[in-house]
């Protein structure tokens, strides 16, 4: 099943509750929350207090994408604040297996993320543990960047490995997903589509979400 995960990075932070509701009315079914620490990525965003407020503003699952160093130090705080899904970067984790189990111990779905320069092979030993794999299709840190097409083969490869090994993780894509790229990512096997600028950048988030989800669903029908 295809799901749209609107990323609040491009939303109006002064009207977050309202914007998240609009994106949900347009069919967004997971809210993607980008957490940046100014070290792992060259940008700063938000922490647990904002997640806690979002938790009151929506019943949709909160997908917290941690672009931070030492994620183990903060996972309990994000879980307590109301995160439902937590993903960590392979590149940021010295003890990835331990970190993924830490996420699960807080009753959250556990995801692992790979940057554009990181191969799928780097995840071979954790694919059995994770609930989802997030393929970055831009270098993390900012919204509204250009989609990197060479990441598509990683979505295909993850779908192939899942079949071969009889695993159940879902495949998420993040970065540059918009009307001109959505069919490609869906055909490559992505199932959870993060979109920031395409939903919140211009115009009405509800309408933008509807149009993007429709294009994604049509591409998924062509896939089968
Ligand atoms: C980038 C973030 C993304 C970002 C995507 O580092 O992880 O979630 O919000 O934004 P768009 O959809 O605008 O590329
Ligand atoms: Zn993200």
């Amino acid at each position: 099943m295809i799901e749209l995960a609107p990323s609040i990075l491009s939303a109006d932070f002064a009207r977050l509750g309202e914007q998240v509701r609009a994106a949900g009315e347009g069919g967004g079914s997971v809210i993607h929350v980008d957490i940046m620490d100014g070290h792992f990525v060259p940008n700063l965003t938000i922490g647990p207090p904002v997640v806690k407020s979002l938790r009151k503003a929506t019943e949709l699952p909160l997908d917290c994408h941690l672009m931070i160093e030492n994620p183990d130090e903060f996972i309990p705080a994000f879980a307590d604040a109301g995160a439902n899904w937590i993903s960590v970067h392979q590149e940021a984790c010295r003890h990835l297996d331990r970190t993924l189990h830490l996420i699960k111990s807080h009753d959250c779905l556990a995801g692992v993320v790979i940057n554009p320069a990181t191969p799928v092979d780097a995840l071979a030993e954790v694919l059995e543990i994770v609930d989802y794999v997030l393929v970055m299709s831009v270098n993390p840190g900012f919204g509204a960047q250009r989609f990197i097409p060479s990441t598509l083969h990683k979505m295909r490869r993850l779908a192939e490995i899942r079949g071969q090994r009889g695993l159940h993780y879902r495949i998420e894509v993040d970065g540059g997903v918009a009307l001109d790229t959505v069919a490609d990512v869906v055909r490559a096997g992505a199932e959870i589509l993060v979109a920031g600028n395409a939903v919140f950048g211009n115009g009405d988030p509800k309408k933008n979400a509807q149009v993007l989800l429709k294009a994604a669903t049509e591409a998924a029908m062509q896939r089968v």
Side-chain angles (χ1 to χ4, degrees), residues 106-141:
H106 286 274
D107 291 329
C108 293
L109 296 188
V112 66
V113 193
I114 46 174
N115 279 336
T118 303
V120 166
D121 291 352
L123 302 180
E125 305 301 328
V126 297
L127 290 177
E128 287 180 22
I129 305 170
V130 293
D131 297 293
Y132 60 106
V133 178
L134 171 46
V135 176
M136 288 307 302
S137 43
V138 297
N139 286 295

Side-chain angles (χ1 to χ4, degrees), residues 1-85:
M1 191 183 94
I2 298 291
E3 289 195 78
L4 179 65
S7 162
I8 61 164
L9 188 61
S10 294
D12 178 348
F13 275 63
R15 296 189 295 137
L16 215 41
E18 187 190 314
Q19 296 236 298
V20 161
R21 266 190 297 280
E25 285 167 12
S29 50
V30 179
I31 300 300
H32 186 83
V33 184
D34 288 305
I35 315 293
M36 305 186 188
D37 68 350
H39 294 279
F40 180 67
V41 289
N43 199 1
L44 282 168
T45 55
I46 58 165
V50 178
V51 173
K52 195 173 172 189
S53 296
L54 273 171
R55 181 67 294 155
K56 290 182 241 161
T58 180
E59 290 185 354
L60 296 176
L62 298 176
D63 168 22
C64 289
H65 173 192
L66 303 191
M67 286 162 273
I68 63 177
E69 288 177 3
N70 304 318
D72 295 27
E73 283 181 31
F74 295 97
I75 285 165
F78 283 106
D80 289 348
N84 303 94
W85 307 9

Side-chain angles (χ1 to χ4, degrees), residues 62-210:
L62 298 176
D63 168 22
C64 289
H65 173 192
L66 303 191
M67 286 162 273
I68 63 177
E69 288 177 3
N70 304 318
D72 295 27
E73 283 181 31
F74 295 97
I75 285 165
F78 283 106
D80 289 348
N84 303 94
W85 307 9
I86 296 180
S87 61
V88 291
H89 273 257
Q90 184 273 344
E91 305 86 2
C93 295
R94 192 167 287 169
H95 303 288
L96 183 56
D97 178 278
R98 175 187 287 151
T99 303
L100 293 168
H101 284 292
L102 177 64
I103 296 171
K104 289 178 163 229
S105 75
H106 286 274
D107 291 329
C108 293
L109 296 188
V112 66
V113 193
I114 46 174
N115 279 336
T118 303
V120 166
D121 291 352
L123 302 180
E125 305 301 328
V126 297
L127 290 177
E128 287 180 22
I129 305 170
V130 293
D131 297 293
Y132 60 106
V133 178
L134 171 46
V135 176
M136 288 307 302
S137 43
V138 297
N139 286 295
F142 303 94
Q145 299 184 82
R146 190 192 292 253
F147 181 81
I148 302 174
S150 59
T151 59
L152 284 168
H153 79 94
K154 295 199 267 186
M155 302 166 215
R156 281 186 219 108
R157 181 76 187 121
L158 282 162
E160 190 181 65
I161 295 172
R162 180 173 59 189
Q164 286 166 351
R165 292 178 54 183
L167 300 175
H168 302 287
Y169 54 81
R170 299 180 72 199
I171 303 168
E172 183 172 22
V173 59
D174 185 4
V177 175
L179 280 176
D180 58 340
T181 53
V182 71
D184 286 343
V185 299
V186 168
R187 285 193 212 109
E191 297 146 338
I192 303 157
L193 315 177
V194 176
N197 190 54
V199 172
F200 295 111
N202 294 292
D204 174 16
K206 176 178 173 182
K207 179 89 184 131
N208 293 341
Q210 275 170 342

